[in-house]
Amino acid sequence: MQIFKKHTALIVSALLSAAHAQTSIGSVTSPSMPVISSPEIGSGFYAPGSILEKNFSGEKDSKNSSEEKKSAENEAAQKKEIQTEKARQLAAALTANDMSLLKNRGLSGDINSLIFSLSSSEGSYETNALLNKILAEIEKLKEDSKPSDTAAEKQIAAKTSEPEGIKKPARILRFSVNGYNILSTCRAIYISDVQLDGTFLVTGDRIYSSDGKKRTETFHILFKSCPGDDGISNYTAAVKVTQDFLNENSFLYQMSKSGEIQAMRVGNFVSVRTEDPGWKLELLIDLGEKQT
């Protein structure tokens, strides 16, 4: 029994000595876990791509927006410039009504002289070029003979320039494309005298509907004669069209882009017919008094 107590005392003493030694050397503590604080209100959380968007995307979008705005402004300015130029050209363009006014001022002889001198000149122009030259000269005539009294001019325009019964006037009897009646849309038509070489000019003002809107255009058709046998004269015809708004679906516009057109004259009648089933033109003109 005494031996057991002695051993127990030795074990307790050893344990106390070990504890005292550990305390003297210094205690070793386990590493603590880092503390993660909750985000403050308003600081936001990171989302993939958010930094890139803040630093780069916003700047890029702003740059693109600025360029697009500038491009839109340039495009709008160009459109305005084109519209202004078109309005100027339209105001200066020669119409059938202008031709009638010139005739009523006693200038039909001047118009005929211009047509004849240019069509019969040496080194005669190709038909389309001749048409452009004739119209340019008549436009000059129009500018040089502006009326001094608008009210009086309107009264003159309302009257016929020649007494009825003296001369049968030239007129268009039929004008259609693919069955569409172009003649019914014409509001004014001017047909010049037939020149000694057979050349003559037809000008028409028309109003028609396109996309639910009223549109206007003026057409000029110059017929240049190529005399044939048996009283038959062949013609080449050129067309020019002025529109208030570009409409490529207009039959007259398409006609002006088709190049020279062939026509035939028998007596007082000049006819144009095409055989293309997709674009069938029929034009018949009565020149009035027979020209010798």
Side-chain angles (χ1 to χ4, degrees):
M1 187 67 175
Q2 290 293 330
I3 297 173
F4 175 78
K5 288 181 179 181
K6 187 177 181 178
H7 282 293
T8 301
L10 290 173
I11 293 172
V12 171
S13 177
L15 289 174
L16 290 174
S17 298
H20 178 72
Q22 187 175 11
T23 302
S24 301
I25 295 171
S27 60
V28 178
T29 58
S30 300
S32 61
M33 293 296 291
V35 178
I36 301 176
S37 59
S38 299
E40 296 178 0
I41 295 176
S43 63
F45 287 92
Y46 165 75
S50 62
I51 295 178
L52 292 176
E53 290 170 0
K54 290 179 181 178
N55 294 339
F56 302 103
S57 300
E59 181 180 350
K60 184 177 181 182
D61 290 344
S62 176
K63 183 178 180 180
N64 289 342
S65 177
S66 177
E67 291 178 351
E68 288 174 1
K69 183 179 179 181
K70 186 176 180 180
S71 177
E73 290 175 350
N74 290 338
E75 185 177 352
Q78 290 176 358
K79 285 183 178 180
K80 185 176 181 180
E81 185 177 348
I82 291 172
Q83 290 172 353
T84 301
E85 177 62 18
K86 181 173 282 293
R88 186 194 67 76
Q89 292 177 354
L90 190 64
L94 198 63
T95 66
N97 187 57
D98 291 332
M99 302 285 276
S100 296
L101 289 175
L102 290 173
K103 182 178 180 180
N104 291 334
R105 291 178 203 158
L107 297 174
S108 60
D110 297 74
I111 294 174
N112 292 324
S113 295
L114 286 172
I115 295 173
F116 179 71
S117 62
L118 291 171
S119 64
S120 61
S121 62
E122 293 184 8
S124 183
Y125 300 90
E126 174 265 335
T127 309
N128 188 66
L130 177 60
L131 172 58
N132 289 331
K133 184 64 176 176
I134 288 173
L135 293 178
E137 292 300 321
I138 297 177
E139 284 176 359
K140 289 180 182 179
L141 183 64
K142 169 189 168 183
E143 290 298 315
D144 293 339
S145 59
K146 289 182 178 179
S148 56
D149 188 337
T150 304
E153 190 69 23
K154 289 181 178 179
Q155 291 179 357
I156 293 174
K159 300 178 181 179
T160 56
S161 59
E162 297 176 82
E164 293 183 5
I166 291 181
K167 182 180 179 181
K168 182 181 177 182
R171 57 183 180 149
I172 297 178
L173 300 178
R174 192 178 301 117
F175 193 3
S176 66
V177 176
N178 294 343
Y180 176 78
N181 190 352
I182 293 175
L183 183 58
S184 65
T185 66
C186 295
R187 297 295 176 263
I189 295 175
Y190 174 87
I191 302 177
S192 75
D193 290 344
V194 179
Q195 308 307 307
L196 293 176
D197 63 352
T199 302
F200 67 96
L201 175 67
V202 177
T203 298
D205 300 334
R206 63 186 296 254
I207 300 176
Y208 66 100
S209 296
S210 177
D211 296 328
K213 297 180 180 179
K214 292 292 184 182
R215 297 297 184 192
T216 62
E217 66 182 4
T218 294
F219 63 87
H220 305 277
I221 308 177
L222 180 67
F223 291 85
K224 185 178 179 183
S225 177
C226 304
D229 299 329
D230 302 325
I232 297 177
S233 294
N234 295 321
Y235 281 85
T236 57
V239 183
K240 183 175 181 178
V241 173
T242 303
Q243 299 178 311
D244 66 328
F245 182 84
L246 177 61
N247 179 15
E248 297 181 355
N249 292 322
S250 162
F251 288 130
L252 270 301
Y253 179 87
Q254 294 172 6
M255 190 175 172
S256 70
K257 299 300 180 181
S258 63
E260 290 190 348
I261 299 170
Q262 302 303 310
M264 182 176 66
R265 176 179 174 181
V266 179
N268 287 348
F269 299 97
V270 174
S271 62
V272 180
R273 287 185 175 87
T274 61
E275 302 300 327
D276 186 349
W279 207 90
K280 193 171 184 179
L281 166 68
E282 187 173 5
L283 173 61
L284 180 61
I285 301 171
D286 179 0
L287 294 176
E289 281 190 344
K290 185 175 181 179
Q291 304 294 320
T292 58

